[in-house]
Amino acid sequence: MSLFLIYALAAVGLFAICLHAIITRSHLLRKILALNMMGSSVFLLLIAIAYRNSVEETADPVPHAMVLTGIVVAVSATAFALALARRYHAETGETELSDGDGST
Amino acid sequence: MDNRDPLSNPGYLVRILSMVLSAGLLAVLIAAVVDLGDEPTGLTARVMEQIDQSGVSHPPTAVLLNFRAYDTWLEVAVLLLAAWGALALRQATRLPEQPQATSAGPVLDWLVRLLVPLLIVTGVYLLWLGTNAPGGAFQAGAVIGAALVLLRLSGYRSVGLLDALWLRGSLLAGFAGFLLIATVLFLAGWTFLEYPPDQAGLLIVIIELLITWTVAVSFVALFVAARPDPDDLNTESEGGHG
């Protein structure tokens, strides 16, 4: 098993766990954290691909660049989600989205 | 964990369905990743071929600000939307200063005076480094943003000094600067978001400077907008905004 495959499999495993968490966890903070971790798993995969595609010690700059900006975008999207959650909490006093019928 | 109210728990059916969905997706993704194999297939060689025309010598910077400038431009737009959205949620047009409860104390005071100049120098260094080594606008923006957050937390005046116009201008700078340069070059006969190889280095540094400031101010705006007490921001902005 190559180094690329180890990291890539870890990334897809993390992605699947986070998807499960987003669906089943009802607390907004847990959902936001799961979404953030989901993004991190994609970064892990992109870095693994950059490593796989490296030519003479130079990692593939295309996925590399995507991760660089992606991290900043993920931080700001998470912060925006947290601001939304805070506002929701201030308006309703709830930390969970109302489901209407008691399920997702 | 969530059993204070059994009715709000997703039922077992949802859990099982979610597990099946996640496991199914996992199987597909594993197959996809294994199918990718170990052979390099990326664009490394093509980037290295063209890098002399990009105006910078660090491959990721060349990709970010030249070859895939379109992606970066729109990522700056996402950043702008997130920061603007967070401010809109608080109905704020400017960032109020942290009300200084007590004296910061000599140790914190000394540390802030030591760290903030160091962080700013590090940020500018990272920005400059981006043209030929790992570094660049996003990293520099994050470091300078951290310096601004530190200033805020320890009760110094910083981003609260920006009035509504300057705050919006700062959030817009990266996106607008990118667009302006691309438009001017487009009217001069180049493809949209393509730079003349001779001036590419200078243009990239100008865009990176603007992005750095935008990233730094956006981080502080998001940090402030996610602050625990929602009411004080509204009352403070009501004075000028109504």
Side-chain angles (χ1 to χ4, degrees), chain A residues 44-97:
Chain A
L44 183 57
L45 181 66
L46 282 173
I47 293 168
I49 290 175
Y51 165 78
R52 183 192 73 137
N53 291 350
S54 49
V55 174
E56 295 167 4
E57 302 285 302
T58 307
D60 189 343
V62 179
H64 186 162
M66 281 178 188
V67 174
L68 279 180
T69 50
I71 289 169
V72 171
V73 170
V75 168
S76 56
T78 305
F80 181 52
L82 288 171
L84 272 176
R86 288 220 84 101
R87 180 65 189 265
Y88 180 74
H89 179 66
E91 298 282 333
T92 64
E94 300 283 319
T95 54
E96 299 170 2
L97 293 175

Side-chain angles (χ1 to χ4, degrees), chain B residues 90-91 230-240:
Chain B
R90 309 292 299 266
Q91 294 168 350
D231 293 323
D232 58 351
L233 226 143
N234 288 340
T235 47
E236 282 199 50
S237 66
E238 264 162 19

Side-chain angles (χ1 to χ4, degrees), chain B residues 91-115:
Chain B
Q91 294 168 350
T93 50
R94 54 181 298 182
L95 305 172
E97 290 299 335
Q98 182 99 323
Q100 193 165 11
T102 51
S103 163
V107 176
L108 181 61
D109 211 51
W110 176 81
L111 193 68
V112 170
R113 280 161 198 269
L114 183 76
L115 277 179

Side-chain angles (χ1 to χ4, degrees), chain A residues 2 20 30 52-53 69 87, chain B residues 18 36 38 41 44 75 89:
Chain A
S2 68
H20 179 67
R30 286 171 187 270
R52 183 192 73 137
N53 291 350
T69 50
R87 180 65 189 265
Chain B
S18 156
L36 273 176
D38 280 330
T41 52
T44 319
E75 274 168 328
L89 280 177

Side-chain angles (χ1 to χ4, degrees), chain B residues 43-84:
Chain B
L43 299 167
T44 319
R46 288 195 62 184
V47 170
M48 298 316 281
E49 259 169 45
Q50 301 286 328
I51 195 158
D52 291 337
Q53 292 187 31
S54 72
V56 291
S57 58
H58 185 52
T61 307
V63 171
L64 271 180
L65 285 140
N66 200 330
F67 303 144
R68 298 292 307 163
Y70 202 66
D71 289 342
T72 311
W73 180 47
L74 293 181
E75 274 168 328
V76 177
V78 174
L79 196 63
L80 169 73
L81 285 178
W84 215 311

Side-chain angles (χ1 to χ4, degrees), chain B residues 146-190:
Chain B
L148 293 174
V149 168
L150 183 64
L151 275 177
R152 249 199 96 75
L153 285 177
S154 36
Y156 285 90
R157 309 187 74 191
S158 57
V159 282
L161 294 170
L162 297 170
D163 63 19
L165 191 67
W166 273 97
L167 179 63
R168 286 179 204 180
S170 302
L171 293 178
L172 251 175
F175 181 79
F178 229 130
L179 181 61
L180 189 71
I181 288 176
T183 309
V184 168
L185 287 171
F186 180 64
L187 294 176
W190 298 85

